[in-house]
Structures are given as structure tokens and as C-alpha cells.
Amino acid sequence: MIHMLKTVLRLGFPALILSLVATPSLAADVGIPAVRLTTNPDGSADYSVTLQILGLMTLLTFLPAIMMMMTSFARIIIVFAILRQALGLQQTPSTQILLGLALFLTLFIMSPVLDRVNEQAVQPYLNEQMTSIEAVQAASVPFRGFMLAQTRENDLNLFMNISRTPAVETPEDIPFTVLVPAFVTSELKTAFQIGFMLFIPFLVIDLVVASVLMAMGMMMLSPVIISLPFKIMLFVLVDGWAMVIGTLAGSFVI
């Protein structure tokens, strides 16, 4: 049995090596270029379809990070999470519902930016009026403008100092490695400020209910159980969801 295994291995390795060596030659014979770089007269370069597909698939893996860190998604989902905590509801609305609402609200808020990306980058690229590199650069301009409009100057200065980036003449010259973390930091600050304002009326209700229960000597009864219906009633009477969504949509500068 051992002798047979050695024979198979001895015959198998040369066959494997021959197959690996023969594969590129066969691909060349049938005319399927896996990797090809074509230099244009103006100095730019065009990559083969295989490399473009590889780059597109790699970009899709970063799509969730781009969605969360370069759009309005982070501010919206944080405010929704704080609102649910302020209401005292642990699982209602569920996380899936909040994520879906935040996603569609993000598409609604980002629609002007996406329209500019489609006009300035996607359509010219599909019409072969610009290369893939030029399309990516053109698509980054609307996103850069959106993030700059939401980012605080002190956050930009903070990350410029941390990264030791030299001073730039215009905000458009700020690299994305500095702009993105500064934008996320500003979004966190804004989201917590909105969440704090949402928390105050519900906190007042909790304090009033706790004081009443304490005065009545009902210290063993949880104030959360009593205050929860009042908080839900208040939120419904003032049309809370419309107010929160309207405030979030109006808090972005586009």
C-alpha cells in the first residue's frame, strides 16, 4: 500500500507541474488575456476587463464600510438607537426595522449626491468618455463635497495634526485619509447632540413618575413600567417619528 502511494505521488507531481505550465500557453492560444495593460497616447493606461472586474469585486467588499462611514447612515442609526433607549423599549422597533429605515432614509438624503455621481462619473464611463480611473476620481468629488459640508473644522485640524499632513490651500485638497475619520467624528458628535435633545423629555417623565411613586410609598414598583405607557403616548401624540425623521433630514447640508 505504501509502495503504491509513493508511485502515485511520483507520477502525479510531474503531471501537475506540466498542467500548470501548459495552462498559460493554452489560454494564450485561445486569446483570453488575463492581465493586460494598454498605454494610451496621452499617457493614461487602460486595464483589461479581467482586472477591471477584479477591481470592481474588491470595491464591493468595501461597500458596507463606504455606506456607513461616508454617508448619512451613521448619524441616522445612532439617533434611532438612542431614541429606542430613551423610550425604554429594548427590542421594539427591532434592529432590523431600524436598519432598514436608516438605509432607505440614507438613500433619500444622499439622492442629490448620487445623482451627481451618476451624471459626472457613471454615465460618462458607460459611454466610454472617460477611463475607470477618471470615473473614480469624478465620483469622489460629490462625496467629498458632502462630507466637507458636514465636518467641523476642529475635527479636520485634529486629524491633520495627527497625520502630520501639511497645510492645504483649499478644502478640496484634503486627502481622504484625513477627511473620512474627521467626517465620522463630526457625525458622532452631531448624533449624540440630537440624541441628548431627544432624551430630555423622556427623562423628565421618568423623574416625575419616580417622584410620584416615592411619595406614594410604592418604592418596590419599578418606575419604568409606569412611565413607559406615558412616554409612548407622548411620542405618538406629538407625531414623534415624523419629527425625528424630519429633524434628521434637515440636519444635513447638501
Side-chain angles (χ1 to χ4, degrees):
M1 185 68 181
I2 297 177
H3 179 70
M4 184 182 299
L5 181 60
K6 291 181 179 180
T7 304
V8 171
L9 293 175
R10 186 172 62 253
L11 296 177
F13 280 128
L16 178 61
I17 294 175
L18 288 176
S19 64
L20 293 176
V21 173
T23 300
S25 61
L26 291 175
D29 293 339
V30 298
I32 304 177
V35 177
R36 185 179 61 190
L37 177 63
T38 304
T39 304
N40 298 323
D42 58 355
S44 61
D46 291 334
Y47 299 92
S48 62
V49 177
T50 307
L51 284 178
Q52 293 182 19
I53 294 176
L54 178 61
L56 178 61
M57 298 303 294
T58 304
L59 181 62
L60 289 178
T61 60
F62 289 97
L63 187 59
I66 294 174
M67 185 68 186
M68 291 186 293
M69 299 291 102
M70 298 176 61
T71 64
S72 58
F73 183 83
R75 183 189 303 185
I76 296 171
I77 193 62
I78 291 174
V79 170
F80 284 165
I82 294 176
L83 174 62
R84 184 172 65 177
Q85 185 70 26
L87 284 170
L89 301 171
Q90 300 299 323
Q91 299 296 332
T92 304
S94 64
T95 303
Q96 291 82 358
I97 293 177
L98 292 182
L99 287 173
L101 181 59
L103 177 61
F104 281 99
L105 190 57
T106 299
L107 294 177
F108 171 76
I109 294 173
M110 298 294 296
S111 57
V113 178
L114 297 178
D115 290 340
R116 290 196 293 269
V117 171
N118 182 57
E119 294 175 1
Q120 300 175 12
V122 177
Q123 293 302 323
Y125 176 71
L126 294 178
N127 296 330
E128 299 182 355
Q129 298 176 357
M130 61 174 55
T131 62
S132 57
I133 302 298
E134 293 174 346
V136 172
Q137 294 175 350
S140 65
V141 175
F143 279 98
R144 178 187 293 273
F146 171 78
M147 289 189 290
L148 283 173
Q150 324 304 323
T151 306
R152 295 175 173 83
E153 185 177 354
N154 56 347
D155 293 328
L156 283 173
N157 294 332
L158 171 65
F159 286 96
M160 291 279 287
N161 295 331
I162 293 176
S163 62
R164 297 181 180 178
T165 302
V168 295
E169 297 181 357
T170 60
E172 287 72 17
D173 297 331
I174 299 175
F176 266 93
T177 54
V178 173
L179 179 58
V180 172
F183 168 74
V184 174
T185 304
S186 293
E187 287 295 284
L188 291 176
K189 291 180 180 179
T190 305
F192 276 89
Q193 288 175 355
I194 298 175
F196 172 76
M197 299 302 296
L198 288 174
F199 226 107
I200 291 178
F202 302 111
L203 180 61
V204 171
I205 294 177
D206 287 333
L207 291 175
V208 171
V209 171
S211 300
V212 171
L213 292 178
M214 185 72 67
M216 296 175 62
M218 304 173 64
M219 293 176 293
M220 300 302 296
L221 183 62
S222 175
V224 178
I225 300 176
I226 307 300
S227 63
L228 180 58
F230 291 99
K231 290 190 290 187
I232 295 177
M233 181 183 66
L234 173 65
F235 191 70
V236 172
L237 289 177
V238 300
D239 198 5
W241 285 112
M243 292 180 60
V244 171
I245 292 176
T247 302
L248 283 173
S251 64
F252 291 95
V253 181
I254 299 179

mmCIF file of all heavy atoms in Angstrom, residues 218-247:
data_model
loop_
_atom_site.group_PDB
_atom_site.id
_atom_site.type_symbol
_atom_site.label_atom_id
_atom_site.label_comp_id
_atom_site.label_asym_id
_atom_site.label_seq_id
_atom_site.Cartn_x
_atom_site.Cartn_y
_atom_site.Cartn_z
ATOM 1 N N MET A 218 -44.672 53.612 47.075
ATOM 2 C CA MET A 218 -44.614 52.419 46.209
ATOM 3 C C MET A 218 -43.200 52.259 45.668
ATOM 4 O O MET A 218 -42.961 52.290 44.454
ATOM 5 C CB MET A 218 -45.640 52.545 45.088
ATOM 6 C CG MET A 218 -47.065 52.776 45.577
ATOM 7 S SD MET A 218 -48.239 53.112 44.243
ATOM 8 C CE MET A 218 -48.186 51.555 43.351
ATOM 9 N N MET A 219 -42.254 52.091 46.571
ATOM 10 C CA MET A 219 -40.848 52.013 46.174
ATOM 11 C C MET A 219 -40.501 50.681 45.532
ATOM 12 O O MET A 219 -39.507 50.578 44.813
ATOM 13 C CB MET A 219 -39.963 52.254 47.399
ATOM 14 C CG MET A 219 -40.049 53.678 47.960
ATOM 15 S SD MET A 219 -39.090 53.901 49.458
ATOM 16 C CE MET A 219 -40.016 52.855 50.595
ATOM 17 N N MET A 220 -41.286 49.647 45.764
ATOM 18 C CA MET A 220 -40.991 48.344 45.188
ATOM 19 C C MET A 220 -41.455 48.220 43.743
ATOM 20 O O MET A 220 -41.077 47.281 43.040
ATOM 21 C CB MET A 220 -41.662 47.245 46.024
ATOM 22 C CG MET A 220 -41.213 47.214 47.469
ATOM 23 S SD MET A 220 -39.416 46.988 47.637
ATOM 24 C CE MET A 220 -39.248 45.352 46.932
ATOM 25 N N LEU A 221 -42.270 49.163 43.280
ATOM 26 C CA LEU A 221 -42.764 49.133 41.904
ATOM 27 C C LEU A 221 -41.780 49.874 41.000
ATOM 28 O O LEU A 221 -41.379 50.995 41.292
ATOM 29 C CB LEU A 221 -44.145 49.778 41.816
ATOM 30 C CG LEU A 221 -44.828 49.757 40.444
ATOM 31 C CD1 LEU A 221 -45.069 48.325 39.982
ATOM 32 C CD2 LEU A 221 -46.149 50.524 40.505
ATOM 33 N N SER A 222 -41.405 49.227 39.926
ATOM 34 C CA SER A 222 -40.428 49.831 39.016
ATOM 35 C C SER A 222 -41.026 51.037 38.308
ATOM 36 O O SER A 222 -42.100 50.928 37.685
ATOM 37 C CB SER A 222 -39.969 48.797 37.982
ATOM 38 O OG SER A 222 -39.112 49.392 37.030
ATOM 39 N N PRO A 223 -40.353 52.198 38.353
ATOM 40 C CA PRO A 223 -40.891 53.367 37.639
ATOM 41 C C PRO A 223 -40.936 53.177 36.129
ATOM 42 O O PRO A 223 -41.744 53.813 35.447
ATOM 43 C CB PRO A 223 -39.913 54.485 38.030
ATOM 44 C CG PRO A 223 -39.238 54.007 39.270
ATOM 45 C CD PRO A 223 -39.167 52.524 39.148
ATOM 46 N N VAL A 224 -40.071 52.307 35.593
ATOM 47 C CA VAL A 224 -40.036 52.105 34.141
ATOM 48 C C VAL A 224 -41.353 51.532 33.651
ATOM 49 O O VAL A 224 -41.858 51.911 32.577
ATOM 50 C CB VAL A 224 -38.859 51.189 33.770
ATOM 51 C CG1 VAL A 224 -38.838 50.912 32.267
ATOM 52 C CG2 VAL A 224 -37.529 51.813 34.208
ATOM 53 N N ILE A 225 -41.947 50.632 34.410
ATOM 54 C CA ILE A 225 -43.200 50.012 33.994
ATOM 55 C C ILE A 225 -44.313 51.051 33.918
ATOM 56 O O ILE A 225 -45.167 51.012 33.023
ATOM 57 C CB ILE A 225 -43.583 48.878 34.963
ATOM 58 C CG1 ILE A 225 -42.482 47.812 34.966
ATOM 59 C CG2 ILE A 225 -44.920 48.263 34.587
ATOM 60 C CD1 ILE A 225 -42.725 46.694 35.956
ATOM 61 N N ILE A 226 -44.327 52.011 34.840
ATOM 62 C CA ILE A 226 -45.368 53.025 34.864
ATOM 63 C C ILE A 226 -45.114 54.115 33.825
ATOM 64 O O ILE A 226 -46.044 54.613 33.173
ATOM 65 C CB ILE A 226 -45.485 53.648 36.263
ATOM 66 C CG1 ILE A 226 -45.668 52.548 37.316
ATOM 67 C CG2 ILE A 226 -46.619 54.643 36.326
ATOM 68 C CD1 ILE A 226 -46.895 51.694 37.116
ATOM 69 N N SER A 227 -43.870 54.496 33.652
ATOM 70 C CA SER A 227 -43.572 55.610 32.752
ATOM 71 C C SER A 227 -43.603 55.211 31.282
ATOM 72 O O SER A 227 -43.796 56.075 30.412
ATOM 73 C CB SER A 227 -42.190 56.189 33.087
ATOM 74 O OG SER A 227 -41.172 55.226 32.866
ATOM 75 N N LEU A 228 -43.422 53.933 30.984
ATOM 76 C CA LEU A 228 -43.371 53.509 29.585
ATOM 77 C C LEU A 228 -44.635 53.859 28.815
ATOM 78 O O LEU A 228 -44.540 54.419 27.706
ATOM 79 C CB LEU A 228 -43.080 52.003 29.508
ATOM 80 C CG LEU A 228 -42.986 51.409 28.096
ATOM 81 C CD1 LEU A 228 -41.903 52.110 27.290
ATOM 82 C CD2 LEU A 228 -42.715 49.912 28.161
ATOM 83 N N PRO A 229 -45.835 53.573 29.315
ATOM 84 C CA PRO A 229 -47.033 53.969 28.545
ATOM 85 C C PRO A 229 -47.141 55.480 28.339
ATOM 86 O O PRO A 229 -47.580 55.931 27.261
ATOM 87 C CB PRO A 229 -48.191 53.446 29.399
ATOM 88 C CG PRO A 229 -47.596 52.386 30.253
ATOM 89 C CD PRO A 229 -46.204 52.818 30.522
ATOM 90 N N PHE A 230 -46.744 56.267 29.329
ATOM 91 C CA PHE A 230 -46.817 57.715 29.177
ATOM 92 C C PHE A 230 -45.831 58.209 28.114
ATOM 93 O O PHE A 230 -46.139 59.133 27.347
ATOM 94 C CB PHE A 230 -46.540 58.396 30.518
ATOM 95 C CG PHE A 230 -47.627 58.186 31.531
ATOM 96 C CD1 PHE A 230 -47.489 57.217 32.517
ATOM 97 C CD2 PHE A 230 -48.787 58.942 31.507
ATOM 98 C CE1 PHE A 230 -48.491 57.014 33.460
ATOM 99 C CE2 PHE A 230 -49.790 58.751 32.445
ATOM 100 C CZ PHE A 230 -49.648 57.778 33.423
ATOM 101 N N LYS A 231 -44.640 57.623 28.084
ATOM 102 C CA LYS A 231 -43.658 58.027 27.078
ATOM 103 C C LYS A 231 -44.120 57.652 25.675
ATOM 104 O O LYS A 231 -43.960 58.444 24.726
ATOM 105 C CB LYS A 231 -42.301 57.385 27.390
ATOM 106 C CG LYS A 231 -41.644 57.963 28.628
ATOM 107 C CD LYS A 231 -40.208 57.511 28.785
ATOM 108 C CE LYS A 231 -40.094 56.049 29.148
ATOM 109 N NZ LYS A 231 -38.700 55.639 29.459
ATOM 110 N N ILE A 232 -44.686 56.468 25.528
ATOM 111 C CA ILE A 232 -45.204 56.077 24.215
ATOM 112 C C ILE A 232 -46.356 56.983 23.807
ATOM 113 O O ILE A 232 -46.447 57.415 22.639
ATOM 114 C CB ILE A 232 -45.642 54.600 24.236
ATOM 115 C CG1 ILE A 232 -44.422 53.700 24.453
ATOM 116 C CG2 ILE A 232 -46.348 54.228 22.942
ATOM 117 C CD1 ILE A 232 -44.773 52.229 24.560
ATOM 118 N N MET A 233 -47.251 57.296 24.735
ATOM 119 C CA MET A 233 -48.380 58.178 24.422
ATOM 120 C C MET A 233 -47.898 59.557 24.012
ATOM 121 O O MET A 233 -48.389 60.141 23.027
ATOM 122 C CB MET A 233 -49.305 58.274 25.635
ATOM 123 C CG MET A 233 -50.526 59.154 25.400
ATOM 124 S SD MET A 233 -51.563 59.316 26.870
ATOM 125 C CE MET A 233 -50.439 60.212 27.960
ATOM 126 N N LEU A 234 -46.914 60.106 24.740
ATOM 127 C CA LEU A 234 -46.373 61.417 24.384
ATOM 128 C C LEU A 234 -45.732 61.388 23.009
ATOM 129 O O LEU A 234 -45.933 62.300 22.188
ATOM 130 C CB LEU A 234 -45.353 61.854 25.434
ATOM 131 C CG LEU A 234 -44.567 63.137 25.126
ATOM 132 C CD1 LEU A 234 -45.507 64.337 25.084
ATOM 133 C CD2 LEU A 234 -43.460 63.352 26.154
ATOM 134 N N PHE A 235 -44.982 60.341 22.724
ATOM 135 C CA PHE A 235 -44.289 60.234 21.440
ATOM 136 C C PHE A 235 -45.281 60.139 20.288
ATOM 137 O O PHE A 235 -45.060 60.704 19.210
ATOM 138 C CB PHE A 235 -43.368 59.012 21.471
ATOM 139 C CG PHE A 235 -42.414 58.946 20.315
ATOM 140 C CD1 PHE A 235 -41.368 59.845 20.211
ATOM 141 C CD2 PHE A 235 -42.553 57.978 19.334
ATOM 142 C CE1 PHE A 235 -40.481 59.790 19.149
ATOM 143 C CE2 PHE A 235 -41.673 57.904 18.276
ATOM 144 C CZ PHE A 235 -40.640 58.817 18.181
ATOM 145 N N VAL A 236 -46.374 59.425 20.498
ATOM 146 C CA VAL A 236 -47.387 59.280 19.445
ATOM 147 C C VAL A 236 -48.170 60.574 19.266
ATOM 148 O O VAL A 236 -48.466 60.985 18.131
ATOM 149 C CB VAL A 236 -48.326 58.106 19.769
ATOM 150 C CG1 VAL A 236 -49.495 58.061 18.789
ATOM 151 C CG2 VAL A 236 -47.568 56.789 19.729
ATOM 152 N N LEU A 237 -48.518 61.248 20.359
ATOM 153 C CA LEU A 237 -49.325 62.463 20.267
ATOM 154 C C LEU A 237 -48.603 63.581 19.528
ATOM 155 O O LEU A 237 -49.234 64.366 18.804
ATOM 156 C CB LEU A 237 -49.727 62.932 21.668
ATOM 157 C CG LEU A 237 -50.772 62.067 22.399
ATOM 158 C CD1 LEU A 237 -51.028 62.608 23.800
ATOM 159 C CD2 LEU A 237 -52.074 62.003 21.609
ATOM 160 N N VAL A 238 -47.304 63.683 19.704
ATOM 161 C CA VAL A 238 -46.546 64.750 19.028
ATOM 162 C C VAL A 238 -46.041 64.313 17.661
ATOM 163 O O VAL A 238 -45.277 65.042 17.023
ATOM 164 C CB VAL A 238 -45.356 65.200 19.901
ATOM 165 C CG1 VAL A 238 -45.827 65.733 21.232
ATOM 166 C CG2 VAL A 238 -44.350 64.058 20.103
ATOM 167 N N ASP A 239 -46.485 63.124 17.194
ATOM 168 C CA ASP A 239 -46.028 62.581 15.907
ATOM 169 C C ASP A 239 -44.504 62.498 15.890
ATOM 170 O O ASP A 239 -43.817 63.099 15.053
ATOM 171 C CB ASP A 239 -46.534 63.449 14.755
ATOM 172 C CG ASP A 239 -46.487 62.724 13.416
ATOM 173 O OD1 ASP A 239 -46.150 61.525 13.405
ATOM 174 O OD2 ASP A 239 -46.767 63.350 12.380
ATOM 175 N N GLY A 240 -43.990 61.737 16.853
ATOM 176 C CA GLY A 240 -42.557 61.702 17.099
ATOM 177 C C GLY A 240 -41.727 61.208 15.940
ATOM 178 O O GLY A 240 -40.660 61.768 15.646
ATOM 179 N N TRP A 241 -42.193 60.167 15.251
ATOM 180 C CA TRP A 241 -41.386 59.621 14.160
ATOM 181 C C TRP A 241 -41.208 60.646 13.045
ATOM 182 O O TRP A 241 -40.114 60.785 12.488
ATOM 183 C CB TRP A 241 -42.018 58.345 13.623
ATOM 184 C CG TRP A 241 -41.834 57.170 14.514
ATOM 185 C CD1 TRP A 241 -42.778 56.504 15.226
ATOM 186 C CD2 TRP A 241 -40.586 56.508 14.805
ATOM 187 N NE1 TRP A 241 -42.221 55.486 15.950
ATOM 188 C CE2 TRP A 241 -40.870 55.458 15.702
ATOM 189 C CE3 TRP A 241 -39.266 56.702 14.406
ATOM 190 C CZ2 TRP A 241 -39.884 54.608 16.195
ATOM 191 C CZ3 TRP A 241 -38.282 55.864 14.894
ATOM 192 C CH2 TRP A 241 -38.595 54.835 15.780
ATOM 193 N N ALA A 242 -42.281 61.349 12.699
ATOM 194 C CA ALA A 242 -42.168 62.365 11.653
ATOM 195 C C ALA A 242 -41.232 63.493 12.093
ATOM 196 O O ALA A 242 -40.433 64.005 11.287
ATOM 197 C CB ALA A 242 -43.551 62.928 11.317
ATOM 198 N N MET A 243 -41.297 63.878 13.370
ATOM 199 C CA MET A 243 -40.426 64.938 13.862
ATOM 200 C C MET A 243 -38.962 64.507 13.845
ATOM 201 O O MET A 243 -38.086 65.267 13.416
ATOM 202 C CB MET A 243 -40.842 65.337 15.277
ATOM 203 C CG MET A 243 -42.184 66.035 15.363
ATOM 204 S SD MET A 243 -42.612 66.491 17.063
ATOM 205 C CE MET A 243 -41.249 67.573 17.478
ATOM 206 N N VAL A 244 -38.699 63.279 14.285
ATOM 207 C CA VAL A 244 -37.312 62.803 14.319
ATOM 208 C C VAL A 244 -36.748 62.668 12.910
ATOM 209 O O VAL A 244 -35.628 63.118 12.621
ATOM 210 C CB VAL A 244 -37.237 61.458 15.070
ATOM 211 C CG1 VAL A 244 -35.847 60.843 14.932
ATOM 212 C CG2 VAL A 244 -37.581 61.651 16.536
ATOM 213 N N ILE A 245 -37.521 62.057 12.017
ATOM 214 C CA ILE A 245 -37.036 61.879 10.643
ATOM 215 C C ILE A 245 -36.863 63.232 9.960
ATOM 216 O O ILE A 245 -35.878 63.461 9.234
ATOM 217 C CB ILE A 245 -38.001 60.971 9.866
ATOM 218 C CG1 ILE A 245 -37.947 59.545 10.432
ATOM 219 C CG2 ILE A 245 -37.663 60.959 8.379
ATOM 220 C CD1 ILE A 245 -38.936 58.592 9.809
ATOM 221 N N GLY A 246 -37.814 64.152 10.170
ATOM 222 C CA GLY A 246 -37.671 65.477 9.580
ATOM 223 C C GLY A 246 -36.468 66.230 10.119
ATOM 224 O O GLY A 246 -35.766 66.915 9.367
ATOM 225 N N THR A 247 -36.216 66.088 11.411
ATOM 226 C CA THR A 247 -35.045 66.746 12.009
ATOM 227 C C THR A 247 -33.748 66.163 11.459
ATOM 228 O O THR A 247 -32.803 66.901 11.159
ATOM 229 C CB THR A 247 -35.075 66.601 13.538
ATOM 230 O OG1 THR A 247 -36.276 67.171 14.047
ATOM 231 C CG2 THR A 247 -33.885 67.289 14.170
#
